[in-house]
Amino acid sequence: TYTTDTKSRQENKKTVESLYKLSVDIKKIRRLKEWVLLRDVAYVKEIAGILQEMGADETTVASILERCPEAVLHTPAEVNSQRALWQLVCQNEKQLIKLIEQFPESFFTTKYHENQKANILFFQELGLKNNIITRFLTSAPNIFHNPVEKNKNVIETLQKIYLSLGGSDANMKIWILKLLSQNPFILLHTSTTIQENLEFLQENDYTDKEVLQLLSKLKGFIFQLTPATMEKSMLFSKNVFKCSDQELKELVLKCPALLYYSVPVLEERFEGLLKEGISVTQIRDTPMVLELTTQIVQYRIKKLSALGYDVKSGNLESLNGTKKDFEANYGKIQSKKERPIFNPVAPIHIED
């Protein structure tokens, strides 16, 4: 990051002119990352040339350099090394240039090149498909900055945990790959954090089978929590539902969001539901409704009310699920409402 006083320095005219010739919006760079224009050395033509070699047209090159102007501060050798590295997991250069256009910052982070390479090879050995690895490179680039030993260590810990909780050797690889695909950020946590969270659940009388169930249901998000935050969330739910430890445990297994969301989030969602006239008993019967934001709940209630369906008097199942689930359920209620009532034993009136 550029830290010296930018006001006292002059822009590099050569850099500005080269970017201008490529139809790059200089004003945008001045506004967002002016420090790039002040550097004595830049490789504008060279980097643009490499992008064009990969199949990028003029508009694409301009778009990439506007969003990530620091790309021109890397040497052509660094960028070509990165290009060769990403080609290990990309089908072709067409896919590669598309990824660079969408995620230029991830591609032009060349500082951790050796770690990136070692981690890509490790993930391939582990059995992750290339399309999953490219998704990691673009959406979770930080996991490639770790030394490969750190990532291996976390994977080994997860393998030991899975087996110690009663998981089978035969299913372990599938479980690990699924967990990683759902939440690669697991790798940013230490083995100690993972162990502490699991011990907390075991101390709260969750059986090995139940802990494994929670790990799978939470898609690895449990590792982003701490025993302290989980305890606060559980205490909040216990007070609201006025339930015993055993009943709370059953609610958490039914709806792991009670464990995952912080108290302020749960509080806001509870209040939102109560304002809509929904009772605590209804929420307790269908706790999964707490996985939805207040805005989504309000929108769904409004849609169902327009069909004459009153959520206050029934169960909350009709509110639940993904957008796709809700739309399918809504469609069923709608078609039921529109269908004429047919009485099979009513006499048929025939004109004489």
Side-chain angles (χ1 to χ4, degrees), residues 79-92:
V79 175
N80 275 323
S81 294
Q82 199 73 340
R83 174 185 179 179
L85 185 62
W86 281 48
Q87 278 175 325
L88 293 174
V89 287
C90 285
Q91 293 168 355
N92 49 44

Side-chain angles (χ1 to χ4, degrees), residues 26 88 138 155 169 172 278-279 295 312 320:
I26 310 289
L88 293 174
T138 53
I155 297 293
D169 265 316
M172 183 174 69
I278 290 163
S279 69
Q295 289 77 9
K312 284 177 264 186
N320 267 348

Side-chain angles (χ1 to χ4, degrees), residues 13 38 41 52 99 112 137 198 203 237 258 274 278 299 310 316 330 333:
K13 280 185 183 176
L38 307 178
V41 181
Q52 284 159 351
L99 286 174
Y112 306 95
L137 277 168
L198 295 178
E203 283 161 15
S237 297
L258 293 173
L274 297 175
I278 290 163
Y299 166 77
D310 185 14
L316 304 179
Y330 175 79
I333 296 168

Side-chain angles (χ1 to χ4, degrees), residues 234-302:
M234 283 163 75
L235 188 63
F236 171 78
S237 297
K238 193 179 175 183
N239 289 337
V240 168
F241 292 125
K242 296 181 174 56
C243 59
S244 67
D245 288 343
Q246 181 56 33
E247 286 168 331
L248 177 66
K249 199 173 101 165
E250 283 161 21
L251 282 169
V252 168
L253 287 168
K254 206 172 170 185
C255 175
L258 293 173
L259 195 68
Y260 175 66
Y261 287 122
S262 65
V263 172
V265 171
L266 289 172
E267 218 161 18
E268 186 212 342
R269 292 186 181 184
F270 259 105
E271 281 170 15
L273 289 163
L274 297 175
K275 273 180 192 169
E276 293 295 332
I278 290 163
S279 69
V280 174
T281 309
Q282 281 177 294
I283 302 170
R284 185 173 167 167
D285 290 341
T286 319
M288 292 77 75
V289 77
L290 291 164
E291 291 171 2
L292 306 168
T293 65
T294 305
Q295 289 77 9
I296 290 172
V297 167
Q298 286 169 342
Y299 166 77
R300 291 183 181 184
I301 288 174
K302 201 174 175 183

Side-chain angles (χ1 to χ4, degrees), residues 300-315:
R300 291 183 181 184
I301 288 174
K302 201 174 175 183
K303 277 199 87 170
L304 290 169
S305 297
L307 293 180
Y309 186 92
D310 185 14
V311 289
K312 284 177 264 186
S313 58
N315 68 40

